[in-house]
């Protein structure tokens, strides 16, 4: 019997890359799990609705789904500055559709003594090409900033790639800072999960 969870690869950026990309993902697992920490070198601590930090999924050797209706999901975040509540959101965009998965927070490093944000990204049935409801995903992330913006945030997102136009198996996953580069304190690991 194969191991239920198998470490496939880990990427640690050199400090000069704005993306962390897992490509040529083997089709030998049932689900994928990405766990890691992300931190950027951009000086700005963006708002939760700013989509410059994002995740995109690809197929056929790295062609990414980028249409405005490719990702159908809901995002819920809790945002504080010290003990002051700054707001929440329960939808990513109009009708919950987007051309990417918003991946806030990725803290910046200028005057920022924060730890990197933690990420947990789950892709069940990533190689599915026949399910009429599409492929699902879940994202849980959180980070703390001690910069002038001093904020803490926790984000939950869940959704699907609707089957129309997104029925290829996923073979590429890209984490993007949107602005600046990932620092060397970032690290993301991919695990394959086998159900039997």
């Amino acid at each position: 019997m194969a191991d239920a969870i198998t470490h496939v690869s880990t990427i640690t950026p050199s400090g000069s890359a704005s993306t962390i990309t897992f490509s040529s993902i083997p089709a030998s697992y049932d689900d994928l799990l990405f766990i890691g920490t992300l931190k950027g070198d951009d000086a700005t601590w963006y708002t939760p609705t700013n989509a410059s930090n994002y995740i995109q999924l690809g197929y056929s050797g790295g062609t990414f789904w980028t249409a405005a209706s490719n990702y159908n999901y809901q995002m819920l975040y809790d945002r504080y500055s010290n003990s002051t509540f700054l707001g929440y959101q329960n939808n990513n965009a109009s009708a919950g559709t987007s051309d990417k998965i918003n991946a806030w927070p990725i803290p910046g490093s200028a005057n920022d003594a924060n730890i990197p944000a933690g990420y947990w990204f789950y892709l069940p049935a990533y190689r599915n090409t026949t399910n009429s409801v599409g492929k699902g995903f879940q994202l849980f992330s959180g980070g703390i900033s001690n910069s002038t913006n001093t904020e803490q945030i926790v984000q939950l997102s869940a959704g699907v790639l609707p089957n129309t136009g997104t029925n290829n198996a996923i073979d590429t996953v890209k984490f993007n800072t949107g602005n600046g580069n990932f620092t060397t304190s970032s690290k993301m690991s991919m695990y394959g999960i086998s159900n039997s």
Side-chain angles (χ1 to χ4, degrees):
M1 180 175 152
D3 291 337
I5 299 177
T6 303
H7 175 258
V8 179
S9 65
T10 295
I11 297 176
T12 302
S14 64
S16 60
S18 62
T19 62
I20 294 175
T21 303
F22 292 88
S23 57
S24 302
I25 295 173
S28 49
Y29 305 104
D30 295 302
D31 306 334
L32 295 176
L33 176 61
F34 298 83
I35 300 175
T37 55
L38 298 177
K39 183 176 179 180
D41 63 6
D42 190 73
T44 305
W45 179 250
Y46 295 94
T47 64
T49 54
N50 185 313
S52 57
N53 302 324
Y54 61 87
I55 300 169
Q56 278 184 321
L57 306 176
Y59 60 97
S60 299
T63 301
F64 291 95
W65 286 294
T66 59
S69 60
N70 283 159
Y71 304 87
N72 190 341
Y73 70 101
Q74 294 288 311
M75 180 179 89
L76 174 64
Y77 69 79
D78 229 1
R79 185 180 178 203
Y80 284 83
S81 177
N82 293 325
S83 59
T84 304
F85 179 63
L86 296 180
Y88 66 91
Q89 178 174 313
N90 66 356
N91 195 357
N92 172 62
S94 175
T97 61
S98 180
D99 59 352
K100 60 184 77 75
I101 302 166
N102 193 332
W104 198 83
I106 298 175
S109 60
N111 302 313
D112 206 348
N114 60 289
I115 59 171
Y119 275 78
W120 183 96
F121 183 58
Y122 186 55
L123 285 172
Y126 69 101
R127 55 193 170 100
N128 183 10
T129 61
T130 58
N131 190 337
S132 62
V133 299
K135 293 172 282 294
F137 58 85
Q138 294 88 42
L139 171 66
F140 176 72
S141 61
I144 298 173
S145 172
N146 292 330
S147 69
T148 21
N149 302 81
T150 313
E151 292 187 19
Q152 307 89 46
I153 187 166
V154 173
Q155 173 183 322
L156 287 168
S157 297
V160 297
L161 276 72
N163 196 46
T164 304
T166 59
N167 56 356
N168 301 74
I170 295 169
D171 68 5
T172 310
V173 175
K174 176 172 66 174
F175 296 82
N176 194 308
T177 62
N179 296 286
N181 295 311
F182 286 113
T183 67
T184 54
S185 59
S186 298
K187 180 172 72 171
M188 189 61 67
S189 297
M190 178 174 67
Y191 298 87
I193 297 177
S194 300
N195 296 333
S196 59

